[in-house]
Structure formats: C-alpha cells, structure tokens
Amino acid sequence: MRIDILTILPELLQGPFSESIMKRAQERGLLDLNVHNIRDYSKNKHNKVDNTQYGGGAGMVMTIQPIADLIKKLQSERTYDEIIFMTPDGEVLKQEICNDLSLKGNIIILCGHYKGIDERIREHFITKEISIGSYVLTGGELAACVVVDSVVRLIPGVINDETSALTDSFQDNLLSPPVYTKPAEYNDWKVPNVLLSGDFAKIDKWREEKALERTKKRRPDILK
Ligand code: ADE
C-alpha cells in the first residue's frame, strides 16, 4: 500500500512513522509512506501557503495553488483510490472505514491547517473527508497519524500474530474482554479461575460474556 501525506509540518509526522508497527510495515515493504511538504510547491515568492478569507473574518485559509499542483503531480504518476482530507467536519472515523482503507492500493491524505482550506480543493480533488472525533486539533497531522496507524496494522503481514488485528475491539462491534498475564496472583489480586482452567470452550464463553457485558456498559451505541 502507498500513502502520500500532504502537510505544511512534515517534521510532526516523523516520530510516529518511524517506530513500532509503522516502521516494521515500511521495512517489510508492505507500506510505502511518502510525506510531502506543501510549502515546497508554493509559487509565491515567500512560499506562502495561506491567505485571508474572502468576506472577512479571523483566521487564514490554505490556498489552492500549492495543494492543487502537488495533487496533480502525484496523480500524473499513479492512480489514487482515495484522496482524503482530515477535517473536524468529516465522517467520524470508525473501524469499518479503517478496514475499507486497508484494502486500497494508493491513497493521499491531506492535512488541513489554519481556518481550513479553500473549498474548491474539497470540491474538485477530495473523495473522502475524515474526522477523528468531535474536537478541534491544531492541524490534520495528528489525525492523519491516527488514520495511518489504524489502517496499516490491518495490512496482512504487518502484525506478526495474524489473528491479532481481527480480534481487536470494534472488529465485531464488541469491545475486547479483559486480559491478564503472569503472575496469577499479585498481593491478593487474583486472575479469574476460568482462565487458568485449561478448558478452552469455557474460556471462549467467558470471553464472549465479558466482551458483551463491557460493551453494554461502556459502548451500547456500537452493539448491533
Ligand atoms: N483537524 C482538526 N481537527 C480534526 C479532527 N477532529 N479530525 C480530523 N482532522 C482534524
């Protein structure tokens, strides 16, 4: 899978993309991640990428030219399945969107800033708008990291234990059941007996019950 990220703050993305699963996915050739600095494409003599908004009002708006030129350059090199804009007024990210994106070949993710981007970019280039929740971030970069992380871990071969991503919370509209590890007893805090029983049918049943109980209590909205 190839992901191109368009940003005015490329340094902000370096840390998250060079550790753990993201690092491994790139080393294994399963993820081709490219971060582009929008400013490099500005034809303005001061490399400006924003301007005041028509009609007046506080806050700068990202201009069309550098973003359009960068997207057109990328599109001349390959076909993109999706051109995503990270924005608080987009569709709220959920597991199904991540599953769907993990099956794509090439995607662009555009990170917004300031008051937003010129609406014509959204009208003419963007195919999908994603929000990571009902709050406003300073820019789309952290939101883009969330999308990339949640998508990349679903690409076959990225996570070592193949079944692990499939048993994530949300995959079957259930939260995950509680998990425990050694020691079986810490002070007087005990691991539930059933998990030590070796009876795997009973363990599966216990896990299903706990997952359902937890989902009903904490996230009844996701229950089918
Ligand atoms: N940019 C600013 N806030 C955002 C949010 N909540 N989701 C996605 N992109 C954003």
Side-chain angles (χ1 to χ4, degrees):
M1 175 176 205
R2 179 181 167 116
I3 303 180
D4 291 272
I5 303 198
L6 282 44
T7 172
I8 54 164
L9 295 171
E11 294 83 9
L12 199 55
L13 300 169
Q14 263 163 19
F17 292 153
S18 54
E19 301 283 341
S20 178
I21 279 176
M22 305 267 228
K23 182 179 175 192
R24 193 194 305 158
Q26 291 173 85
E27 284 170 354
R28 290 185 180 173
L30 298 167
L31 170 67
D32 181 6
L33 188 70
N34 303 272
V35 177
H36 307 271
N37 191 343
I38 294 169
R39 209 173 287 283
D40 293 343
Y41 293 81
S42 172
K43 289 194 173 128
N44 176 280
K45 63 173 183 267
H46 304 294
N47 289 344
K48 243 172 86 108
V49 290
D50 62 328
N51 215 323
T52 52
Q53 56 175 311
Y54 278 121
M60 302 294 272
V61 176
M62 289 172 78
T63 54
I64 301 178
Q65 178 272 315
I67 297 172
D69 283 3
L70 175 47
I71 294 178
K72 280 192 267 183
K73 174 189 169 275
L74 291 170
Q75 282 178 323
S76 74
E77 292 161 354
R78 68 196 63 76
T79 307
Y80 284 91
D81 301 303
E82 217 67 87
I83 303 182
I84 300 167
F85 177 46
M86 300 310 307
T87 175
D89 60 8
E91 183 183 1
V92 178
L93 186 66
K94 43 181 173 9
Q95 191 64 47
E96 289 94 82
I97 300 177
C98 306
N99 294 350
D100 180 50
L101 289 176
S102 75
L103 303 172
K104 307 281 184 194
N106 303 317
I107 63 174
I108 288 175
I109 303 181
L110 171 62
C111 306
H113 252 269
Y114 312 120
K115 204 71 200 155
I117 58 172
D118 192 300
E119 188 66 19
R120 290 166 287 182
I121 288 284
R122 298 172 74 158
E123 282 168 12
H124 297 286
F125 290 109
I126 299 300
T127 60
K128 200 173 190 63
E129 303 190 318
I130 298 179
S131 162
I132 63 160
S134 305
Y135 41 81
V136 177
L137 300 165
T138 310
E141 284 76 10
L142 295 178
C145 290
V146 169
V147 170
V148 174
D149 186 289
S150 59
V151 168
V152 168
R153 61 196 306 285
L154 298 170
I155 300 172
V158 170
I159 289 184
N160 280 330
D161 176 0
E162 278 287 346
T163 60
S164 162
L166 297 175
T167 58
D168 284 343
S169 277
F170 301 110
Q171 275 302 7
D172 43 13
N173 295 295
L174 283 176
L175 299 179
S176 294
V179 292
Y180 300 85
T181 185
K182 290 183 173 66
E185 200 169 331
Y186 180 86
N187 298 333
D188 58 349
W189 304 341
K190 294 194 176 101
V191 170
N193 269 332
V194 56
L195 296 177
L196 311 174
S197 69
D199 181 340
F200 292 105
K202 228 162 107 187
I203 292 172
D204 279 350
K205 188 161 169 280
W206 181 88
R207 286 183 172 149
E208 273 169 35
E209 282 166 9
K210 288 289 167 192
L212 190 61
E213 186 184 305
R214 190 163 266 200
T215 313
K216 276 185 182 157
K217 197 162 158 200
R218 300 183 184 188
R219 293 294 305 273
D221 58 300
I222 68 165
L223 268 176
K224 274 225 169 112

